[in-house]
Amino acid sequence: MKEKISHTHHISQQFNTELDDIKTRMLEMGGLVEKQVADATNAFMNLDTGLASDVKQGDKLVNSLEVAIDEECTIILARRQPAASDLRLVLSISKILSDLERMGDEASKVADSAIKLAELGGLPRSVLEIRHIGDHVSGMVRNALDSFARLDIDLALEVAEEDKAVDLEYGTAMRSLVTYMIEDPRTITSVLQVMWALRSLERVGDHARNIAEHVIYLVKGANVRHVNIDEMTATVQEG
């Protein structure tokens, strides 16, 4: 279900330009964060400390973009005093920026764990859980941003539903790793790094769901935070 919201009928063409600019810059920041998550996953899987360092360095750019774009949102709110859908747009972008910045922080934590694990000599087993969940949440980030770009609330709902699947995968992976540590206590220090990386990736999924909720708010004007999937689905399907 793709709904059209028009932000193009203002007397001031400059206002249109300002709205388009913050949308574009936020999506560009989102693309950078999506790459950070994917690179952090690859760095961990391959114990690539160089790539992990790049992820940590890139987090500084993500942070600076969040501050700069959010400042633009504040200026628009103060100068333009937008109403209705325009107000929801600016507020949604401001909230999405915060989620993207936190995703960048989590990617940096995964990179930290990759570096520490490399220093420990790696893990004596394949860590497919990291690859699987990393790929899963990267897809969620991409779809959440696409749902915003296209105002596609059906896609936003799919992202929210995927978060439930990630939570289940995370729980299964953690139980497996606990069993592994019990069987071989010598691996505890290394396995803890895997657990922390998995936790960070699971949080990325949480933030992707948050973005999906902001999209539904933008399109529907309904706050769907802290509601279950059934309630969210009902909101999306309302005429």
Side-chain angles (χ1 to χ4, degrees):
M1 182 187 300
K2 300 178 183 178
E3 302 205 5
K4 299 295 184 180
I5 295 181
S6 176
H7 304 279
T8 59
H9 299 293
H10 305 290
I11 294 175
S12 171
Q13 181 59 40
Q14 181 61 31
F15 188 14
N16 295 331
T17 301
E18 290 169 2
L19 292 175
D20 287 341
D21 181 63
I22 59 172
K23 285 190 289 185
T24 299
R25 294 190 67 194
M26 187 275 285
L27 288 169
E28 290 173 349
M29 176 182 169
L32 176 59
V33 169
E34 181 189 341
K35 184 176 186 300
Q36 291 288 91
V37 173
D39 284 350
T41 301
N42 287 329
F44 195 96
M45 290 298 299
N46 300 313
L47 297 182
D48 187 337
T49 57
L51 182 57
S53 296
D54 289 344
V55 171
K56 289 170 59 64
Q57 188 66 28
D59 188 44
K60 297 178 182 178
L61 175 57
V62 170
N63 292 341
S64 65
L65 286 171
E66 191 266 339
V67 171
I69 304 170
D70 196 49
E71 178 64 22
E72 289 185 42
C73 292
T74 301
I75 291 171
I76 289 174
L77 290 173
R79 289 181 178 174
R80 302 295 185 180
Q81 299 182 349
S85 61
D86 295 320
L87 177 60
R88 295 205 305 271
L89 173 65
V90 179
L91 292 176
S92 296
I93 288 175
S94 182
K95 292 174 181 177
I96 290 171
L97 288 170
S98 178
D99 279 301
L100 289 173
E101 188 273 332
R102 290 174 183 174
M103 286 181 184
D105 289 344
E106 298 300 339
S108 185
K109 291 176 185 177
V110 175
D112 273 331
S113 288
I115 292 170
K116 291 173 183 176
L117 191 57
E119 292 171 351
L120 291 168
L123 191 65
R125 57 165 282 184
S126 175
V127 192
L128 294 179
E129 296 92 346
I130 290 284
R131 168 63 67 197
H132 185 66
I133 292 180
D135 289 346
H136 201 159
V137 298
S138 291
M140 288 176 64
V141 176
R142 180 170 57 255
N143 287 337
L145 293 168
D146 285 348
S147 74
F148 173 87
R150 306 194 320 240
L151 298 177
D152 187 339
I153 55 176
D154 285 330
L155 183 57
L157 183 60
E158 288 179 19
V159 172
E161 291 173 338
E162 284 298 306
D163 187 45
K164 290 175 59 180
V166 168
D167 289 344
L168 290 173
E169 291 167 3
Y170 170 72
T172 299
M174 294 297 277
R175 287 190 294 272
S176 174
L177 290 168
V178 168
T179 299
Y180 187 56
M181 286 192 296
I182 292 172
E183 292 175 349
D184 188 355
R186 295 171 301 175
T187 65
I188 288 175
T189 302
S190 295
V191 171
L192 285 175
Q193 295 299 330
V194 180
M195 287 181 160
W196 290 329
L198 281 170
R199 178 56 178 156
S200 287
L201 291 173
E202 188 270 338
R203 285 176 175 165
V204 170
D206 290 342
H207 289 300
R209 175 186 168 126
N210 289 348
I211 292 175
E213 292 171 353
H214 298 322
V215 172
I216 293 171
Y217 166 74
L218 171 60
V219 176
K220 287 288 190 177
N223 189 336
V224 293
R225 292 180 297 171
H226 313 303
V227 305
N228 60 41
I229 289 294
D230 290 339
E231 293 173 288
M232 193 180 297
T233 301
T235 298
V236 167
Q237 292 175 347
E238 288 177 357

